[in-house]
Amino acid sequence: GNSVTQMEGPVTLSEEAFLTINCTYTATGYPSLFWYVQYPGEGLQLLLKATKADDKGSNKGFEATYRKETTSFHLEKGSVQVSDSAVYFCALSDRTGGFKTIFGAGTRLFVKA
Amino acid sequence: DSGVTQTPKHLITATGQRVTLRCSPRSGDLSVYWYQQSLDQGLQFLIQYYNGEERAKGNILERFSAQQFPDLHSELNLSSLELGDSALYFCASSVGGGGAPDTQYFGPGTRLTVL
C-alpha cells in the first residue's frame, strides 16, 4: 500500500540556517504530494503541493520538488525563522489509494533565535 | 482561520464515559474527515464522510462511530472511553469526495482527556 516516510525529529536549527526535511514515498500510482504544517496549538494547514513529476511547490520561502526517480519530496528553506517552529507533515494522495491522503509521522522543527 | 470549526475545544471525562465531538466543515465542502493525534501514534486517519455517506474508513475502533448530517456537519462519538483515548481529535474538510487529490482544511481540534 501507499506510505510516506519522513526523517525523524526533532530538528533544531539556529535562525537563518538552511532547512531540509526529507520525505520519501511509496505509491503504486502517480500521487500528488503535499506538505502540511502544524503550528503550536493549531490544526494542520497546507504549506505547498505538487501534482506531477518535476513540479516544484513553493510557499512562504519553503519549496519542495517532486522527484519521481527517487520517490522523494524533500522540504527546503534557505533561511529559517523562529516563527517556522512547527511540526511538518509530508503527505500523498493518489487514485489507486482512492485519493485517501496518507500522512507521514511528522517532523518537529525548533528554530532558536 | 481554515473555516472549519470544532467544538468543544477541550473535554475532560472519566473512563467508561461517552462523548460527542462536533465539526462544521468549510462552506461548500462536502467531505469531512476525522483524525486522532497522539504523541505515540502520530496522526491517525479515522473515517471520511462525503455528502452524508461513509466514504473511507481508517483505524477507527468499534467503540467509535461518526455520522454526517444533511447540513454537512459531522459528529464523532466515542464510547466506553479508555485512558488511551486521550488525544487531539481533528476534523478536516475538503471539496471533493475522493475522485481527485484534494487539499484538506483542518479545524483547531478537540483535546480529549480521559481520567
Side-chain angles (χ1 to χ4, degrees):
Chain A
N2 295 344
S3 66
V4 175
T5 303
Q6 292 182 232
M7 63 187 286
E8 279 194 34
V11 173
T12 303
L13 296 173
S14 297
E15 213 166 18
E16 298 183 6
F18 185 87
L19 168 71
T20 301
I21 299 178
N22 291 337
C23 170
T24 56
Y25 67 90
T26 301
T28 50
Y30 298 92
S32 292
L33 302 172
F34 306 82
W35 276 101
Y36 283 81
V37 58
Q38 183 180 25
Y39 297 105
E42 298 182 13
L44 282 71
Q45 57 185 273
L46 181 69
L47 181 60
L48 55 84
K49 68 179 181 182
T51 57
K52 61 183 189 298
D54 299 326
D55 267 3
K56 179 186 283 189
S58 60
N59 186 25
K60 298 183 183 179
F62 290 89
E63 56 182 39
T65 301
Y66 188 145
R67 302 279 188 208
K68 190 167 179 299
E69 63 277 11
T70 54
T71 61
S72 64
F73 193 54
H74 304 322
L75 183 68
E76 296 181 337
K77 187 175 186 184
S79 175
V80 293
Q81 305 300 313
V82 172
S83 57
D84 294 326
S85 298
V87 182
Y88 293 82
F89 292 88
C90 186
L92 72 79
S93 171
D94 86 335
R95 181 180 301 277
T96 59
F99 292 112
K100 191 167 69 176
T101 301
I102 308 296
F103 288 89
T107 302
R108 185 175 295 276
L109 170 67
F110 291 106
V111 180
K112 304 179 297 184
Chain B
D1 184 353
S2 67
V4 178
T5 59
Q6 288 187 249
T7 56
K9 196 169 176 60
H10 300 280
L11 199 47
I12 301 174
T13 189
T15 54
Q17 295 298 304
R18 174 188 170 94
V19 297
T20 297
L21 312 184
R22 183 187 167 104
C23 168
S24 292
R26 286 188 330 152
S27 176
D29 284 358
L30 297 179
S31 271
V32 169
Y33 309 78
W34 286 99
Y35 293 89
Q36 179 191 60
Q37 186 179 40
S38 57
L39 282 175
D40 57 343
Q41 294 281 329
L43 191 68
Q44 299 286 319
F45 168 68
L46 297 179
I47 197 163
Q48 176 198 358
Y49 277 83
Y50 174 72
N51 206 19
E53 307 228 340
E54 183 183 303
R55 180 57 65 99
K57 220 167 186 176
N59 302 321
I60 189 165
L61 300 172
E62 283 191 16
R63 301 184 286 108
F64 296 0
S65 64
Q67 54 185 323
Q68 186 179 29
F69 295 87
D71 67 352
L72 300 177
H73 91 272
S74 177
E75 293 181 356
L76 178 67
N77 300 295
L78 314 176
S79 61
S80 303
L81 285 168
E82 302 174 0
L83 295 178
D85 298 327
S86 295
L88 264 172
Y89 290 84
F90 285 107
C91 166
S93 73
S94 70
V95 171
D102 230 351
T103 298
Q104 294 185 22
Y105 297 87
F106 282 75
T110 293
R111 181 171 293 283
L112 173 67
T113 302
V114 183
L115 300 175

